[in-house]
Amino acid sequence: MQSGPASIGGMQAHDAPSAFLDKIARREDLRPALDKLPKPWVFTNGVFDVLHRGHVMYLAQARALGGSLIVALNTDASVRRLGKGDDRPLNNEMDRAIVMASQQAVGLVTWFDEDTPVDIIGEIRPDILVKGGDYDMSKLPETRLVESWGGHALALPFVQGYSTTKLVQRIRAG
């Protein structure tokens, strides 16, 4: 009988988390992390407070559009400014980053504290900007920015029936 941690493909069980934790980059460490990612880069952003089926489907669809998917999460402070409720986010920004980084579709996770992702999009310069739901992409300053260097922007449809806000409401209702 073997003692110690399990091994899969030479990786010890206690080493496994580092494989996806390495996908998390602080804003000041973005450039070297980005340089390791295959292009074209697909960018999306959001709170992603409680990951659900709609999010997972959206992330997979976004990733399929390019070589790597970069996700910029709202910091806790920016989530509170969005007015989603006094108790939001339910999960803090590091917990949300870890859950997001664990997703196979995601190549890199970072944060932004501004009210819009325009500044971080300008830093990253993705090839494709993706938003979820019913955004009118033609009205977003993010779209104009990405298109200014030849990129593209598109909205992916929501997976009907899945929303963190509705999920939280259901939980509160008991």
Side-chain angles (χ1 to χ4, degrees):
M1 181 167 175
Q2 184 180 4
S3 64
S7 176
I8 300 172
M11 183 188 311
Q12 299 296 316
H14 58 76
D15 294 333
S18 67
F20 68 83
L21 293 177
D22 290 344
K23 295 181 189 179
I24 301 171
R26 295 177 307 173
R27 187 106 168 233
E28 57 268 22
D29 300 326
L30 270 178
R31 187 51 44 200
L34 288 167
D35 289 343
K36 296 176 186 174
L37 295 178
K39 286 193 163 202
W41 294 338
V42 180
F43 175 93
T44 195
N45 65 278
V47 177
F48 296 102
D49 196 3
V50 177
L51 214 56
H52 53 68
R53 177 181 175 174
H55 289 138
V56 173
M57 298 299 292
Y58 168 78
L59 294 169
Q61 290 172 334
R63 167 56 184 84
L65 297 171
S68 300
L69 176 60
I70 302 159
V71 179
L73 299 173
N74 292 77
T75 61
D76 293 347
S78 70
V79 172
R80 287 188 282 279
R81 289 193 307 271
L82 288 174
K84 290 189 173 272
D86 293 339
D87 59 349
R88 299 281 302 275
L90 298 172
N91 291 296
N92 70 49
E93 60 197 48
M94 182 54 79
D95 289 347
R96 291 183 286 121
I98 290 170
V99 170
M100 185 59 67
S102 75
Q103 298 303 295
Q104 182 178 6
V106 175
L108 183 67
V109 180
T110 192
W111 299 270
F112 69 100
D113 192 47
E114 300 83 5
D115 290 340
T116 73
V118 169
D119 289 346
I120 195 163
I121 290 170
E123 290 171 34
I124 293 172
R125 295 180 61 96
D127 302 288
I128 303 165
L129 168 67
V130 178
K131 300 290 256 181
D134 54 358
Y135 280 95
D136 182 347
M137 299 302 285
S138 67
K139 294 183 178 180
L140 294 178
E142 298 96 316
T143 295
R144 288 188 294 282
L145 180 61
V146 170
E147 289 176 346
S148 75
W149 55 72
H152 305 285
L154 65 133
L156 296 176
F158 280 131
V159 176
Q160 293 301 315
Y162 295 92
S163 152
T164 301
T165 300
K166 288 180 182 176
L167 182 59
V168 169
Q169 289 169 346
R170 275 191 12 228
I171 292 167
R172 286 184 179 142

